[in-house]
Amino acid sequence: MVLQKPLDREQQEQISLLLTAKDGGQLPMSGKIQIIITILDANDNAPVFTKSVYKASITENSQRGTSVVTVSASDRDGGSNGEISYMITNSHRRLSDLFQIDRKSGDVTLIGEIDYEKAQLYQIDIGAVDNGGQSDSSKIVIDVIDINDNNPQINLLSKSESIFEDAPENTVISMMSVSDPDSGRNGDVKCRIKGDVPFKIQNTLNGFYSLITEAALDREVESHYNITVTCSDEGVPSLSSSVTLTLQISDVNDNAPVFEKSSYEAYIVENNTPGLSIFTVKATDADWNQNAHVSYILEDSSVNGVSVSSYVSVSADNGVIHAVRSLDYEQIKDFQFRVKAQDGGSPPLSSNVTVKIVIQDQNDNTPQVLYPVQTGGSVVAEMVPRSADVGYLVTKVVAVDVDSGQNSWLSYKLQKATDRALFEVGLQNGEIRTIRQVTDKDAVKQRLTVFVEDNGQPSRSAKVIVNVAVADSYPEVLSEFTDFTHDKEYNDNLTFYIVLALAVVSFLFITCLVVIISVKIYRWRQSRILYHSSLPVIPYYPPRYSDTLGTGTLPHVYNYEVCRTNDSRKSDCKFGTAGSQNVLIMDPSSTGTMQWIQSEKNILEEPDSPLEVGHFHIFRT
């Protein structure tokens, strides 16, 4: 409480005050106190400071309790009126939080934290008051000495989240400002980029920096960068600050799809089901998103003059190759085609790979016997002289199998024989040899059935009949083989069909012949019966037959009933006309049109005429 104006005890001996203290809360709280001031006798001498201004300095961040400066004042009064008390008179609360003055000694000490960056100079107003209330005032000016206690401050003004990989060099990524609140060399800052990255930082203006690209970028090598920028001051020790920027590298379609192999070779067993999945080609694209989406295309080519698309197809999404048709090893052993992998970029990039399909054999063909030739109409026989010794080569069965590998390995076995003790067949070579000496008792006609089997799984087989003649001369062979049937089943079937055909032809011929004879006889008998018949006359009245004949100016209509008996050979009815054979036939519904028909014979004179009974209307004019 400071006295603002002189008091006059004589005017007022006692003053009562009510002091209210309020806090700064949202709903302020307060307290009240009543002060009663008794006015004493006045002190007519005031204290006097030794200096009007006191100067001092203190290093920032000094410890609390550090002595800053000591002030002093003197009072010429004696006694209690000469006792001086020191105080800080500044109303600024911050000063009272930082500095404290000893009321008795005048020693000013630090009670708070001093920061050069907040204030470089402090000015404190102090006062000296005696017990009588007289006072004097002075000032303390405190200079704050800076130390390097602040890191550089980095402020990002702009930055890019991503950049295309084909961006040119010196493309600006970010702009930043860097400052250090310290002074002198403590505030001098230099920035650098940490690590080996294709970027650099460039000082554009005082305190402003640009982060730019230094080399070409490749997203496939590095898809993103964490760029750390470190700024350090020149203080001792040096202080630094860092900021990390995350930069995504946007993709550009600069990579074509790459197949996992330089070429592919796949195997498939013949007689496969159409639509069977053979295998899969795989290509990858180092790009990203749509630029890395790979589609597979079968390039057009021909296999044996036919489009390859009729053999295989390729799934565009996953590269699965399917067989379009059932493949036959005997027609084609292998074939090649090319598959193109194309990405979804714009423009798209592509690559090709050669695919070879090798068809594996399946045992789907039976052995074919080339020799001896099986004929249907004649007997072929191998001659063996009766003087043949053991091991005599009679003949050799030659067979082939169009399959491959073990499916074409053939073995020969003697299935049936007239005399199994006389001949044997080589298992591998098909040679038929004698296994004992031929004797005179051996039959001339020998029939061997050789079974030819391949080595497939399951195996397929064929059989061949070998006729052997054991004789020393051809006449003997011919006499014995005239009635020899080398293929009874074949001859029986052939005979059956021949007999059946002859029977059908004969039946048809006889049937036709009987029909023709019967018709002739029937007609001859009919003509005889009609000529001598005495059957009654059966009248018949057809509605629209009319004959007109004669001459004259008036029409005369005569109705005649013409009847024929069954034995009539010629017409019994003659129409007499006056020197004319013309017959005029007129349709009753006509309006006068006439047609003249020259008649050489009466229609009834025809012996084979189908008309048996006629009814005529004869008009005469």
Side-chain angles (χ1 to χ4, degrees), residues 14 151 178 326 329 381 615:
Q14 194 176 41
N151 295 52
V178 181
S326 179
Y329 174 83
H615 184 199

Side-chain angles (χ1 to χ4, degrees), residues 104-115:
K104 296 298 182 182
S105 63
D107 187 15
V108 178
T109 57
L110 180 68
I111 62 173
E113 294 181 355
I114 297 297
D115 190 355

Side-chain angles (χ1 to χ4, degrees), residues 169-171 173 193 195-200 211-218 222 225 227 247 249:
E169 295 184 15
N170 299 323
T171 300
I173 305 300
I193 297 177
D196 184 16
V197 292
F199 305 96
K200 66 180 179 180
L211 179 64
I212 61 176
T213 58
E214 188 179 23
L217 304 176
D218 190 353
E222 195 71 39
Y225 290 93
I227 308 170
L247 182 65
I249 308 301

Side-chain angles (χ1 to χ4, degrees), residues 10 58 124 160 263 276 301 351 427 621:
E10 287 69 29
I58 185 173
I124 305 173
S160 299
S263 62
L276 177 69
S301 60
S351 60
L427 181 63
T621 59

Side-chain angles (χ1 to χ4, degrees), residues 581-619:
Q581 296 296 325
N582 295 329
V583 177
L584 177 63
I585 302 175
M586 183 178 70
D587 191 343
S589 64
S590 64
T591 59
T593 303
M594 296 184 179
Q595 295 180 355
W596 296 89
I597 299 177
Q598 181 69 32
S599 176
E600 295 295 335
K601 288 186 178 181
N602 191 294
I603 189 172
L604 298 177
E605 293 179 357
E606 302 234 357
D608 297 329
S609 174
L611 181 60
E612 298 299 330
V613 178
H615 184 199
F616 297 91
H617 297 280
I618 302 174
F619 299 88

